[in-house]
Amino acid sequence: IDRIAAAVYDPRSDLLKTFVESAATDDLPLRHHQAHVSDSPSLCEILRSGSPRVIDDLSALGNPPAPHTRHLIELGYASSYTMPMCCHGASFGLIFF
């Protein structure tokens, strides 16, 4: 694992806000990144279902990919594993590997 990031979801604002990021590089462009979850059907599904998501090939996502995905690809990341953070059965954020 070369990168781990955690983001908290605020359902009132629909914002997912990265609050911690660790990477094998000093370039941490997504350290304070925030995005509307409703802009990503797959992230909505992770939060709704409580099930993780595996992406084997980031370069296969959209054309062009979302800006944060494009930057991860430029840094050399090729795949992604995303799991929800849950408390009492409710998802409140995501962990990205």
Side-chain angles (χ1 to χ4, degrees), residues 37 40-53 84 91 94:
V37 170
S40 173
S42 65
L43 295 183
C44 287
E45 179 60 19
I46 295 168
L47 290 168
R48 185 199 65 72
S49 70
S51 297
R53 172 189 74 177
S91 297
L94 299 169

Side-chain angles (χ1 to χ4, degrees), residues 12-89:
R12 290 179 301 216
S13 65
D14 186 46
L15 284 175
L16 186 66
K17 299 178 182 181
T18 302
F19 69 91
V20 65
E21 179 180 13
S22 169
T25 175
D26 291 333
D27 188 2
L28 300 173
L30 303 176
R31 178 175 284 160
H32 300 291
H33 181 73
Q34 57 184 350
H36 291 278
V37 170
S38 59
D39 291 340
S40 173
S42 65
L43 295 183
C44 287
E45 179 60 19
I46 295 168
L47 290 168
R48 185 199 65 72
S49 70
S51 297
R53 172 189 74 177
V54 175
I55 299 173
D56 293 321
D57 184 1
L58 287 173
S59 65
L61 294 177
N63 191 11
H68 58 278
T69 303
R70 183 175 56 248
H71 194 78
L72 291 172
I73 293 167
E74 289 169 359
L75 290 172
Y77 297 107
S79 60
S80 173
Y81 178 82
T82 306
M83 65 181 291
M85 294 186 287
C86 301
C87 183
H88 303 291

